[in-house]
Amino acid sequence: PYIAEGDPHLLQGDLPYEPRLALASGVDGLDALRRIIAGAPAHLLAGGWLLVEHGAGQGEEVRGLFRAVGFAGVETALD
């Protein structure tokens, strides 16, 4: 989940029928990613990778979260 709690897209299409916890994660949509990224070093071998999906416009902040816990070679790729 990486959508902000108040994002109007959550009320469109099929999204109102999806479990909110599967889509939204805090005021800025990054609460789950913060927890995952912060805990990842304890679960990865040296040189291990962590790939995550994030929303448009969240790249800079997500890269900062990775760097803050010591990840190197952090980049964003468009899908």
Short mmCIF file of all heavy atoms in Angstrom, two decimals:
data_model
loop_
_atom_site.label_atom_id
_atom_site.label_comp_id
_atom_site.label_asym_id
_atom_site.label_seq_id
_atom_site.Cartn_x
_atom_site.Cartn_y
_atom_site.Cartn_z
N PRO A 1 0.83 -1.21 0.00
CA PRO A 1 0.00 0.00 0.00
C PRO A 1 0.86 1.25 0.00
O PRO A 1 1.80 1.36 0.77
CB PRO A 1 -0.81 -0.12 1.28
CG PRO A 1 -0.08 -1.10 2.13
CD PRO A 1 0.73 -1.96 1.21
N TYR A 2 0.55 2.18 -0.90
CA TYR A 2 1.33 3.41 -0.97
C TYR A 2 0.47 4.62 -1.37
O TYR A 2 0.99 5.64 -1.79
CB TYR A 2 2.51 3.25 -1.94
CG TYR A 2 2.12 2.77 -3.32
CD1 TYR A 2 1.60 3.65 -4.26
CD2 TYR A 2 2.28 1.45 -3.68
CE1 TYR A 2 1.24 3.21 -5.52
CE2 TYR A 2 1.94 1.00 -4.93
CZ TYR A 2 1.42 1.88 -5.85
OH TYR A 2 1.07 1.44 -7.10
N ILE A 3 -0.82 4.49 -1.21
CA ILE A 3 -1.71 5.60 -1.53
C ILE A 3 -2.02 6.36 -0.25
O ILE A 3 -2.24 5.77 0.80
CB ILE A 3 -3.02 5.09 -2.18
CG1 ILE A 3 -2.70 4.31 -3.46
CG2 ILE A 3 -3.97 6.24 -2.46
CD1 ILE A 3 -3.89 3.61 -4.07
N ALA A 4 -2.03 7.68 -0.34
CA ALA A 4 -2.35 8.52 0.82
C ALA A 4 -3.80 8.27 1.25
O ALA A 4 -4.68 8.09 0.41
CB ALA A 4 -2.14 9.98 0.49
N GLU A 5 -4.04 8.27 2.55
CA GLU A 5 -5.38 8.01 3.09
C GLU A 5 -6.47 8.87 2.46
O GLU A 5 -7.56 8.39 2.21
CB GLU A 5 -5.39 8.21 4.61
CG GLU A 5 -4.58 7.21 5.39
CD GLU A 5 -5.22 5.85 5.48
OE1 GLU A 5 -6.42 5.70 5.20
OE2 GLU A 5 -4.49 4.90 5.84
N GLY A 6 -6.21 10.12 2.21
CA GLY A 6 -7.23 11.01 1.68
C GLY A 6 -7.27 11.13 0.17
O GLY A 6 -7.98 11.98 -0.37
N ASP A 7 -6.55 10.30 -0.54
CA ASP A 7 -6.49 10.38 -2.00
C ASP A 7 -7.88 10.13 -2.60
O ASP A 7 -8.50 9.10 -2.33
CB ASP A 7 -5.49 9.37 -2.53
CG ASP A 7 -5.18 9.57 -4.01
OD1 ASP A 7 -6.13 9.59 -4.84
OD2 ASP A 7 -4.00 9.71 -4.34
N PRO A 8 -8.37 11.05 -3.44
CA PRO A 8 -9.70 10.88 -4.02
C PRO A 8 -9.83 9.66 -4.94
O PRO A 8 -10.93 9.17 -5.18
CB PRO A 8 -9.94 12.18 -4.79
CG PRO A 8 -8.60 12.79 -4.97
CD PRO A 8 -7.75 12.30 -3.84
N HIS A 9 -8.72 9.14 -5.44
CA HIS A 9 -8.78 7.95 -6.31
C HIS A 9 -9.31 6.73 -5.56
O HIS A 9 -9.81 5.80 -6.17
CB HIS A 9 -7.39 7.64 -6.88
CG HIS A 9 -6.92 8.67 -7.85
ND1 HIS A 9 -6.06 9.67 -7.50
CD2 HIS A 9 -7.22 8.87 -9.15
CE1 HIS A 9 -5.83 10.44 -8.54
NE2 HIS A 9 -6.53 9.98 -9.56
N LEU A 10 -9.20 6.73 -4.24
CA LEU A 10 -9.70 5.60 -3.45
C LEU A 10 -11.22 5.46 -3.54
O LEU A 10 -11.77 4.42 -3.20
CB LEU A 10 -9.28 5.75 -1.99
CG LEU A 10 -7.79 5.62 -1.71
CD1 LEU A 10 -7.49 6.00 -0.27
CD2 LEU A 10 -7.32 4.20 -2.00
N LEU A 11 -11.88 6.50 -4.02
CA LEU A 11 -13.34 6.48 -4.13
C LEU A 11 -13.81 6.19 -5.55
O LEU A 11 -15.02 6.21 -5.82
CB LEU A 11 -13.90 7.83 -3.67
CG LEU A 11 -13.53 8.25 -2.25
CD1 LEU A 11 -14.03 9.66 -1.97
CD2 LEU A 11 -14.07 7.26 -1.25
N GLN A 12 -12.88 5.90 -6.46
CA GLN A 12 -13.23 5.71 -7.86
C GLN A 12 -13.12 4.26 -8.29
O GLN A 12 -12.40 3.47 -7.69
CB GLN A 12 -12.30 6.57 -8.73
CG GLN A 12 -12.44 8.05 -8.46
CD GLN A 12 -11.42 8.88 -9.23
OE1 GLN A 12 -10.59 8.34 -9.95
NE2 GLN A 12 -11.49 10.18 -9.07
N GLY A 13 -13.82 3.93 -9.36
CA GLY A 13 -13.75 2.60 -9.95
C GLY A 13 -14.06 1.50 -8.95
O GLY A 13 -15.00 1.59 -8.17
N ASP A 14 -13.23 0.47 -8.96
CA ASP A 14 -13.40 -0.67 -8.06
C ASP A 14 -12.73 -0.47 -6.71
O ASP A 14 -12.90 -1.29 -5.81
CB ASP A 14 -12.82 -1.94 -8.70
CG ASP A 14 -13.58 -2.38 -9.92
OD1 ASP A 14 -14.77 -2.02 -10.03
OD2 ASP A 14 -13.01 -3.09 -10.77
N LEU A 15 -11.95 0.60 -6.56
CA LEU A 15 -11.18 0.78 -5.34
C LEU A 15 -12.01 0.85 -4.06
O LEU A 15 -11.56 0.37 -3.02
CB LEU A 15 -10.26 1.99 -5.45
CG LEU A 15 -9.15 1.88 -6.49
CD1 LEU A 15 -8.25 3.11 -6.45
CD2 LEU A 15 -8.34 0.61 -6.32
N PRO A 16 -13.22 1.41 -4.07
CA PRO A 16 -14.00 1.42 -2.83
C PRO A 16 -14.31 0.01 -2.30
O PRO A 16 -14.61 -0.15 -1.13
CB PRO A 16 -15.28 2.15 -3.20
CG PRO A 16 -14.91 3.02 -4.36
CD PRO A 16 -13.88 2.20 -5.12
N TYR A 17 -14.22 -1.00 -3.15
CA TYR A 17 -14.52 -2.37 -2.75
C TYR A 17 -13.29 -3.14 -2.28
O TYR A 17 -13.40 -4.25 -1.78
CB TYR A 17 -15.20 -3.12 -3.90
CG TYR A 17 -16.45 -2.41 -4.37
CD1 TYR A 17 -16.44 -1.66 -5.54
CD2 TYR A 17 -17.61 -2.48 -3.62
CE1 TYR A 17 -17.59 -0.99 -5.95
CE2 TYR A 17 -18.75 -1.80 -4.03
CZ TYR A 17 -18.74 -1.07 -5.19
OH TYR A 17 -19.86 -0.40 -5.59
N GLU A 18 -12.12 -2.56 -2.46
CA GLU A 18 -10.88 -3.19 -2.03
C GLU A 18 -10.64 -2.90 -0.55
O GLU A 18 -11.04 -1.84 -0.06
CB GLU A 18 -9.69 -2.64 -2.83
CG GLU A 18 -9.74 -2.96 -4.31
CD GLU A 18 -9.55 -4.44 -4.59
OE1 GLU A 18 -8.88 -5.14 -3.81
OE2 GLU A 18 -10.08 -4.89 -5.62
N PRO A 19 -9.98 -3.80 0.16
CA PRO A 19 -9.65 -3.52 1.56
C PRO A 19 -8.75 -2.28 1.64
O PRO A 19 -7.74 -2.20 0.95
CB PRO A 19 -8.89 -4.76 2.02
CG PRO A 19 -9.19 -5.81 1.01
CD PRO A 19 -9.51 -5.10 -0.27
N ARG A 20 -9.13 -1.32 2.44
CA ARG A 20 -8.39 -0.07 2.55
C ARG A 20 -6.93 -0.31 2.94
O ARG A 20 -6.03 0.36 2.46
CB ARG A 20 -9.08 0.84 3.57
CG ARG A 20 -8.53 2.25 3.70
CD ARG A 20 -8.53 3.06 2.41
NE ARG A 20 -9.81 3.19 1.78
CZ ARG A 20 -10.54 4.28 1.70
NH1 ARG A 20 -10.12 5.39 2.23
NH2 ARG A 20 -11.69 4.28 1.08
N LEU A 21 -6.67 -1.29 3.82
CA LEU A 21 -5.30 -1.58 4.24
C LEU A 21 -4.42 -2.08 3.09
O LEU A 21 -3.20 -2.01 3.17
CB LEU A 21 -5.29 -2.62 5.37
CG LEU A 21 -5.78 -2.13 6.72
CD1 LEU A 21 -5.87 -3.29 7.71
CD2 LEU A 21 -4.85 -1.05 7.25
N ALA A 22 -5.03 -2.58 2.04
CA ALA A 22 -4.26 -3.06 0.90
C ALA A 22 -3.85 -1.93 -0.03
O ALA A 22 -3.00 -2.13 -0.90
CB ALA A 22 -5.08 -4.08 0.11
N LEU A 23 -4.42 -0.75 0.17
CA LEU A 23 -4.18 0.36 -0.74
C LEU A 23 -3.53 1.57 -0.08
O LEU A 23 -2.59 2.14 -0.61
CB LEU A 23 -5.51 0.82 -1.37
CG LEU A 23 -6.31 -0.23 -2.12
CD1 LEU A 23 -7.68 0.31 -2.48
CD2 LEU A 23 -5.55 -0.68 -3.35
N ALA A 24 -4.08 1.98 1.06
CA ALA A 24 -3.68 3.24 1.69
C ALA A 24 -2.77 2.97 2.89
O ALA A 24 -2.92 1.97 3.58
CB ALA A 24 -4.91 4.02 2.14
N SER A 25 -1.85 3.92 3.10
CA SER A 25 -0.87 3.73 4.16
C SER A 25 -0.46 5.07 4.76
O SER A 25 0.60 5.61 4.43
CB SER A 25 0.35 2.99 3.61
OG SER A 25 1.28 2.75 4.63
N GLY A 26 -1.32 5.62 5.57
CA GLY A 26 -0.99 6.87 6.26
C GLY A 26 -1.30 8.11 5.46
O GLY A 26 -1.75 8.05 4.32
N VAL A 27 -1.03 9.23 6.07
CA VAL A 27 -1.35 10.53 5.49
C VAL A 27 -0.67 10.75 4.15
O VAL A 27 -1.27 11.26 3.21
CB VAL A 27 -0.98 11.66 6.48
CG1 VAL A 27 -1.17 13.03 5.85
CG2 VAL A 27 -1.80 11.55 7.75
N ASP A 28 0.60 10.32 4.03
CA ASP A 28 1.32 10.53 2.76
C ASP A 28 1.45 9.24 1.95
O ASP A 28 2.07 9.23 0.89
CB ASP A 28 2.70 11.13 3.02
CG ASP A 28 3.60 10.22 3.83
OD1 ASP A 28 3.16 9.13 4.25
OD2 ASP A 28 4.76 10.61 4.07
N GLY A 29 0.88 8.15 2.43
CA GLY A 29 0.92 6.89 1.71
C GLY A 29 2.19 6.09 1.91
O GLY A 29 2.36 5.04 1.30
N LEU A 30 3.09 6.52 2.78
CA LEU A 30 4.38 5.87 2.90
C LEU A 30 4.61 5.13 4.22
O LEU A 30 5.70 4.62 4.46
CB LEU A 30 5.50 6.91 2.70
CG LEU A 30 5.54 7.54 1.31
CD1 LEU A 30 6.63 8.60 1.23
CD2 LEU A 30 5.75 6.48 0.24
N ASP A 31 3.60 5.03 5.07
CA ASP A 31 3.79 4.38 6.37
C ASP A 31 4.29 2.94 6.22
O ASP A 31 5.23 2.52 6.90
CB ASP A 31 2.52 4.40 7.20
CG ASP A 31 2.20 5.77 7.78
OD1 ASP A 31 2.99 6.72 7.57
OD2 ASP A 31 1.15 5.88 8.44
N ALA A 32 3.68 2.15 5.35
CA ALA A 32 4.09 0.75 5.18
C ALA A 32 5.50 0.67 4.62
O ALA A 32 6.32 -0.14 5.07
CB ALA A 32 3.11 0.01 4.27
N LEU A 33 5.81 1.52 3.63
CA LEU A 33 7.16 1.50 3.06
C LEU A 33 8.20 1.91 4.09
O LEU A 33 9.31 1.36 4.11
CB LEU A 33 7.24 2.40 1.82
CG LEU A 33 6.51 1.86 0.59
CD1 LEU A 33 6.59 2.86 -0.56
CD2 LEU A 33 7.08 0.52 0.17
N ARG A 34 7.88 2.85 4.96
CA ARG A 34 8.81 3.23 6.02
C ARG A 34 9.16 2.02 6.89
O ARG A 34 10.32 1.79 7.21
CB ARG A 34 8.21 4.34 6.90
CG ARG A 34 8.30 5.69 6.29
CD ARG A 34 7.85 6.78 7.31
NE ARG A 34 7.75 8.04 6.62
CZ ARG A 34 6.64 8.50 6.04
NH1 ARG A 34 5.51 7.82 6.12
NH2 ARG A 34 6.65 9.64 5.41
N ARG A 35 8.16 1.26 7.28
CA ARG A 35 8.39 0.08 8.13
C ARG A 35 9.18 -0.99 7.39
O ARG A 35 10.11 -1.59 7.95
CB ARG A 35 7.06 -0.49 8.62
CG ARG A 35 6.39 0.36 9.68
CD ARG A 35 5.20 -0.34 10.34
NE ARG A 35 4.16 -0.74 9.40
CZ ARG A 35 3.15 0.04 9.01
NH1 ARG A 35 3.03 1.27 9.47
NH2 ARG A 35 2.25 -0.40 8.17
N ILE A 36 8.81 -1.25 6.15
CA ILE A 36 9.50 -2.28 5.37
C ILE A 36 10.96 -1.90 5.16
O ILE A 36 11.86 -2.72 5.38
CB ILE A 36 8.78 -2.49 4.01
CG1 ILE A 36 7.41 -3.12 4.25
CG2 ILE A 36 9.63 -3.34 3.07
CD1 ILE A 36 6.50 -3.08 3.04
N ILE A 37 11.21 -0.70 4.72
CA ILE A 37 12.58 -0.27 4.42
C ILE A 37 13.43 -0.22 5.69
O ILE A 37 14.57 -0.67 5.70
CB ILE A 37 12.57 1.09 3.69
CG1 ILE A 37 11.92 0.91 2.30
CG2 ILE A 37 13.97 1.67 3.58
CD1 ILE A 37 11.56 2.21 1.60
N ALA A 38 12.87 0.29 6.76
CA ALA A 38 13.63 0.38 8.02
C ALA A 38 14.01 -1.00 8.54
O ALA A 38 15.09 -1.18 9.10
CB ALA A 38 12.82 1.14 9.07
N GLY A 39 13.15 -1.99 8.36
CA GLY A 39 13.43 -3.32 8.86
C GLY A 39 14.20 -4.22 7.92
O GLY A 39 14.72 -5.27 8.32
N ALA A 40 14.31 -3.83 6.66
CA ALA A 40 14.93 -4.69 5.65
C ALA A 40 16.37 -5.07 5.93
O ALA A 40 16.74 -6.23 5.73
CB ALA A 40 14.81 -4.03 4.28
N PRO A 41 17.23 -4.16 6.38
CA PRO A 41 18.63 -4.56 6.59
C PRO A 41 18.80 -5.76 7.53
O PRO A 41 19.73 -6.55 7.37
CB PRO A 41 19.27 -3.30 7.17
CG PRO A 41 18.47 -2.18 6.59
CD PRO A 41 17.05 -2.72 6.59
N ALA A 42 17.91 -5.94 8.46
CA ALA A 42 18.00 -7.07 9.38
C ALA A 42 17.61 -8.40 8.72
O ALA A 42 17.83 -9.46 9.31
CB ALA A 42 17.11 -6.82 10.60
N HIS A 43 17.04 -8.34 7.52
CA HIS A 43 16.56 -9.55 6.85
C HIS A 43 17.27 -9.84 5.54
O HIS A 43 16.95 -10.85 4.89
CB HIS A 43 15.06 -9.43 6.60
CG HIS A 43 14.27 -9.26 7.85
ND1 HIS A 43 13.94 -10.32 8.68
CD2 HIS A 43 13.78 -8.16 8.45
CE1 HIS A 43 13.27 -9.88 9.72
NE2 HIS A 43 13.16 -8.57 9.61
N LEU A 44 18.19 -9.00 5.13
CA LEU A 44 18.88 -9.19 3.86
C LEU A 44 20.34 -9.56 4.09
O LEU A 44 20.97 -9.07 5.02
CB LEU A 44 18.84 -7.91 3.02
CG LEU A 44 17.48 -7.47 2.50
CD1 LEU A 44 17.58 -6.09 1.87
CD2 LEU A 44 16.95 -8.48 1.50
N LEU A 45 20.86 -10.41 3.22
CA LEU A 45 22.29 -10.69 3.24
C LEU A 45 23.03 -9.49 2.65
O LEU A 45 22.43 -8.69 1.92
CB LEU A 45 22.59 -11.94 2.40
CG LEU A 45 21.98 -13.25 2.89
CD1 LEU A 45 22.24 -14.37 1.89
CD2 LEU A 45 22.55 -13.61 4.26
N ALA A 46 24.31 -9.39 2.93
CA ALA A 46 25.12 -8.32 2.35
C ALA A 46 24.97 -8.35 0.83
O ALA A 46 25.03 -9.41 0.21
CB ALA A 46 26.58 -8.50 2.74
N GLY A 47 24.73 -7.19 0.24
CA GLY A 47 24.53 -7.10 -1.21
C GLY A 47 23.11 -7.43 -1.65
O GLY A 47 22.82 -7.40 -2.85
N GLY A 48 22.22 -7.74 -0.69
CA GLY A 48 20.85 -8.07 -1.04
C GLY A 48 20.09 -6.87 -1.58
O GLY A 48 20.46 -5.73 -1.34
N TRP A 49 19.04 -7.13 -2.31
CA TRP A 49 18.22 -6.10 -2.92
C TRP A 49 16.86 -6.04 -2.26
O TRP A 49 16.32 -7.06 -1.82
CB TRP A 49 17.97 -6.42 -4.39
CG TRP A 49 19.14 -6.29 -5.31
CD1 TRP A 49 20.46 -6.53 -5.02
CD2 TRP A 49 19.09 -5.93 -6.67
NE1 TRP A 49 21.22 -6.33 -6.13
CE2 TRP A 49 20.41 -5.96 -7.17
CE3 TRP A 49 18.08 -5.59 -7.53
CZ2 TRP A 49 20.72 -5.66 -8.48
CZ3 TRP A 49 18.38 -5.30 -8.85
CH2 TRP A 49 19.69 -5.32 -9.30
N LEU A 50 16.29 -4.86 -2.25
CA LEU A 50 14.89 -4.68 -1.87
C LEU A 50 14.26 -3.82 -2.95
O LEU A 50 14.69 -2.70 -3.19
CB LEU A 50 14.76 -4.00 -0.51
CG LEU A 50 13.33 -3.67 -0.08
CD1 LEU A 50 12.49 -4.94 0.06
CD2 LEU A 50 13.34 -2.90 1.23
N LEU A 51 13.27 -4.38 -3.63
CA LEU A 51 12.55 -3.65 -4.67
C LEU A 51 11.14 -3.38 -4.16
O LEU A 51 10.49 -4.30 -3.64
CB LEU A 51 12.49 -4.47 -5.96
CG LEU A 51 13.88 -4.75 -6.54
CD1 LEU A 51 14.02 -6.21 -6.84
CD2 LEU A 51 14.10 -3.91 -7.76
N VAL A 52 10.68 -2.16 -4.30
CA VAL A 52 9.34 -1.80 -3.87
C VAL A 52 8.64 -1.00 -4.96
O VAL A 52 9.29 -0.39 -5.80
CB VAL A 52 9.35 -0.97 -2.55
CG1 VAL A 52 10.01 -1.73 -1.43
CG2 VAL A 52 9.99 0.39 -2.74
N GLU A 53 7.35 -1.01 -4.92
CA GLU A 53 6.55 -0.18 -5.81
C GLU A 53 6.07 1.02 -5.00
O GLU A 53 5.73 0.89 -3.83
CB GLU A 53 5.35 -0.98 -6.32
CG GLU A 53 4.49 -0.22 -7.29
CD GLU A 53 3.36 -1.07 -7.86
OE1 GLU A 53 3.03 -2.11 -7.27
OE2 GLU A 53 2.81 -0.67 -8.89
N HIS A 54 6.09 2.18 -5.64
CA HIS A 54 5.58 3.38 -4.98
C HIS A 54 4.80 4.20 -5.99
O HIS A 54 4.84 3.93 -7.19
CB HIS A 54 6.70 4.19 -4.34
CG HIS A 54 7.72 4.71 -5.30
ND1 HIS A 54 7.49 5.75 -6.16
CD2 HIS A 54 8.99 4.31 -5.54
CE1 HIS A 54 8.57 5.98 -6.87
NE2 HIS A 54 9.50 5.12 -6.53
N GLY A 55 4.09 5.18 -5.50
CA GLY A 55 3.25 6.00 -6.35
C GLY A 55 4.02 7.10 -7.07
O GLY A 55 5.14 7.45 -6.70
N ALA A 56 3.38 7.65 -8.08
CA ALA A 56 3.94 8.78 -8.82
C ALA A 56 4.16 9.92 -7.84
O ALA A 56 3.33 10.20 -6.98
CB ALA A 56 2.99 9.21 -9.93
N GLY A 57 5.30 10.55 -7.94
CA GLY A 57 5.60 11.68 -7.08
C GLY A 57 6.19 11.29 -5.74
O GLY A 57 6.50 12.16 -4.92
N GLN A 58 6.37 10.00 -5.47
CA GLN A 58 6.93 9.56 -4.19
C GLN A 58 8.39 9.14 -4.30
O GLN A 58 9.02 8.82 -3.30
CB GLN A 58 6.12 8.38 -3.63
CG GLN A 58 4.71 8.73 -3.23
CD GLN A 58 3.93 7.51 -2.77
OE1 GLN A 58 4.13 6.40 -3.28
NE2 GLN A 58 3.04 7.71 -1.82
N GLY A 59 8.93 9.15 -5.51
CA GLY A 59 10.28 8.63 -5.74
C GLY A 59 11.36 9.27 -4.87
O GLY A 59 12.16 8.56 -4.25
N GLU A 60 11.40 10.56 -4.81
CA GLU A 60 12.45 11.24 -4.06
C GLU A 60 12.40 10.87 -2.58
O GLU A 60 13.42 10.55 -1.97
CB GLU A 60 12.33 12.76 -4.22
CG GLU A 60 13.46 13.52 -3.57
CD GLU A 60 13.39 15.01 -3.86
OE1 GLU A 60 12.78 15.41 -4.87
OE2 GLU A 60 13.96 15.76 -3.05
N GLU A 61 11.21 10.86 -2.02
CA GLU A 61 11.08 10.53 -0.60
C GLU A 61 11.41 9.06 -0.33
O GLU A 61 12.08 8.73 0.65
CB GLU A 61 9.69 10.87 -0.07
CG GLU A 61 9.62 10.75 1.44
CD GLU A 61 8.39 11.40 2.03
OE1 GLU A 61 7.58 11.98 1.29
OE2 GLU A 61 8.26 11.32 3.26
N VAL A 62 10.98 8.17 -1.20
CA VAL A 62 11.27 6.75 -1.02
C VAL A 62 12.77 6.49 -1.15
O VAL A 62 13.35 5.74 -0.36
CB VAL A 62 10.46 5.88 -2.02
CG1 VAL A 62 10.91 4.43 -1.99
CG2 VAL A 62 8.96 5.98 -1.70
N ARG A 63 13.42 7.10 -2.11
CA ARG A 63 14.88 6.95 -2.24
C ARG A 63 15.57 7.43 -0.97
O ARG A 63 16.53 6.82 -0.49
CB ARG A 63 15.40 7.68 -3.47
CG ARG A 63 14.99 7.02 -4.79
CD ARG A 63 15.70 7.63 -5.99
NE ARG A 63 15.45 9.06 -6.14
CZ ARG A 63 14.42 9.60 -6.79
NH1 ARG A 63 13.50 8.82 -7.34
NH2 ARG A 63 14.29 10.90 -6.90
N GLY A 64 15.07 8.52 -0.40
CA GLY A 64 15.62 9.03 0.85
C GLY A 64 15.46 8.04 2.00
O GLY A 64 16.36 7.91 2.84
N LEU A 65 14.34 7.35 2.05
CA LEU A 65 14.12 6.33 3.09
C LEU A 65 15.15 5.21 2.97
O LEU A 65 15.70 4.75 3.97
CB LEU A 65 12.71 5.75 2.99
CG LEU A 65 11.55 6.71 3.26
CD1 LEU A 65 10.21 6.03 2.94
CD2 LEU A 65 11.57 7.18 4.71
N PHE A 66 15.43 4.78 1.75
CA PHE A 66 16.43 3.74 1.53
C PHE A 66 17.82 4.22 1.96
O PHE A 66 18.55 3.51 2.65
CB PHE A 66 16.47 3.33 0.05
CG PHE A 66 15.48 2.28 -0.33
CD1 PHE A 66 14.27 2.62 -0.91
CD2 PHE A 66 15.75 0.94 -0.14
CE1 PHE A 66 13.36 1.66 -1.28
CE2 PHE A 66 14.85 -0.04 -0.50
CZ PHE A 66 13.64 0.31 -1.08
N ARG A 67 18.17 5.40 1.54
CA ARG A 67 19.50 5.93 1.87
C ARG A 67 19.67 6.12 3.38
O ARG A 67 20.76 5.92 3.91
CB ARG A 67 19.75 7.23 1.13
CG ARG A 67 19.92 7.02 -0.37
CD ARG A 67 20.27 8.31 -1.10
NE ARG A 67 20.31 8.08 -2.52
CZ ARG A 67 19.44 8.59 -3.40
NH1 ARG A 67 18.48 9.40 -2.99
NH2 ARG A 67 19.54 8.30 -4.68
N ALA A 68 18.60 6.49 4.05
CA ALA A 68 18.67 6.75 5.49
C ALA A 68 19.03 5.49 6.29
O ALA A 68 19.58 5.61 7.39
CB ALA A 68 17.33 7.32 5.99
N VAL A 69 18.74 4.31 5.76
CA VAL A 69 19.10 3.08 6.47
C VAL A 69 20.33 2.40 5.87
O VAL A 69 20.64 1.26 6.22
CB VAL A 69 17.91 2.09 6.58
CG1 VAL A 69 16.79 2.68 7.41
CG2 VAL A 69 17.43 1.63 5.24
N GLY A 70 21.01 3.09 4.94
CA GLY A 70 22.28 2.59 4.44
C GLY A 70 22.27 1.87 3.12
O GLY A 70 23.29 1.33 2.70
N PHE A 71 21.17 1.86 2.39
CA PHE A 71 21.16 1.23 1.07
C PHE A 71 21.98 2.08 0.11
O PHE A 71 21.95 3.31 0.17
CB PHE A 71 19.73 1.09 0.53
CG PHE A 71 18.99 -0.10 1.08
CD1 PHE A 71 18.25 0.01 2.23
CD2 PHE A 71 19.01 -1.31 0.42
CE1 PHE A 71 17.55 -1.07 2.74
CE2 PHE A 71 18.32 -2.41 0.91
CZ PHE A 71 17.59 -2.28 2.09
N ALA A 72 22.69 1.42 -0.81
CA ALA A 72 23.48 2.09 -1.84
C ALA A 72 22.88 1.75 -3.20
O ALA A 72 22.17 0.77 -3.35
CB ALA A 72 24.93 1.64 -1.77
N GLY A 73 23.19 2.56 -4.19
CA GLY A 73 22.72 2.29 -5.54
C GLY A 73 21.21 2.41 -5.66
O GLY A 73 20.59 1.69 -6.44
N VAL A 74 20.63 3.31 -4.92
CA VAL A 74 19.18 3.48 -4.89
C VAL A 74 18.73 4.24 -6.14
O VAL A 74 19.28 5.29 -6.46
CB VAL A 74 18.75 4.24 -3.62
CG1 VAL A 74 17.25 4.46 -3.61
CG2 VAL A 74 19.21 3.51 -2.38
N GLU A 75 17.75 3.71 -6.82
CA GLU A 75 17.21 4.39 -8.00
C GLU A 75 15.74 4.07 -8.19
O GLU A 75 15.23 3.11 -7.62
CB GLU A 75 18.00 4.01 -9.25
CG GLU A 75 17.98 2.54 -9.58
CD GLU A 75 18.85 2.19 -10.78
OE1 GLU A 75 20.07 2.18 -10.62
OE2 GLU A 75 18.27 1.95 -11.86
N THR A 76 15.10 4.87 -8.99
CA THR A 76 13.69 4.67 -9.34
C THR A 76 13.61 4.35 -10.82
O THR A 76 14.25 5.00 -11.63
CB THR A 76 12.87 5.96 -9.04
OG1 THR A 76 12.93 6.22 -7.65
CG2 THR A 76 11.42 5.79 -9.46
N ALA A 77 12.82 3.33 -11.17
CA ALA A 77 12.60 2.96 -12.55
C ALA A 77 11.11 3.05 -12.84
O ALA A 77 10.28 2.67 -12.00
CB ALA A 77 13.09 1.54 -12.80
N LEU A 78 10.76 3.57 -13.99
CA LEU A 78 9.36 3.65 -14.39
C LEU A 78 8.92 2.31 -14.96
O LEU A 78 9.68 1.65 -15.66
CB LEU A 78 9.17 4.74 -15.44
CG LEU A 78 9.52 6.16 -14.99
CD1 LEU A 78 9.37 7.12 -16.14
CD2 LEU A 78 8.64 6.58 -13.83
N ASP A 79 7.68 1.92 -14.64
CA ASP A 79 7.17 0.68 -15.22
C ASP A 79 6.19 0.96 -16.32
O ASP A 79 5.89 2.02 -16.69
CB ASP A 79 6.54 -0.20 -14.16
CG ASP A 79 5.32 0.44 -13.48
OD1 ASP A 79 5.01 1.59 -13.78
OD2 ASP A 79 4.72 -0.23 -12.63
#
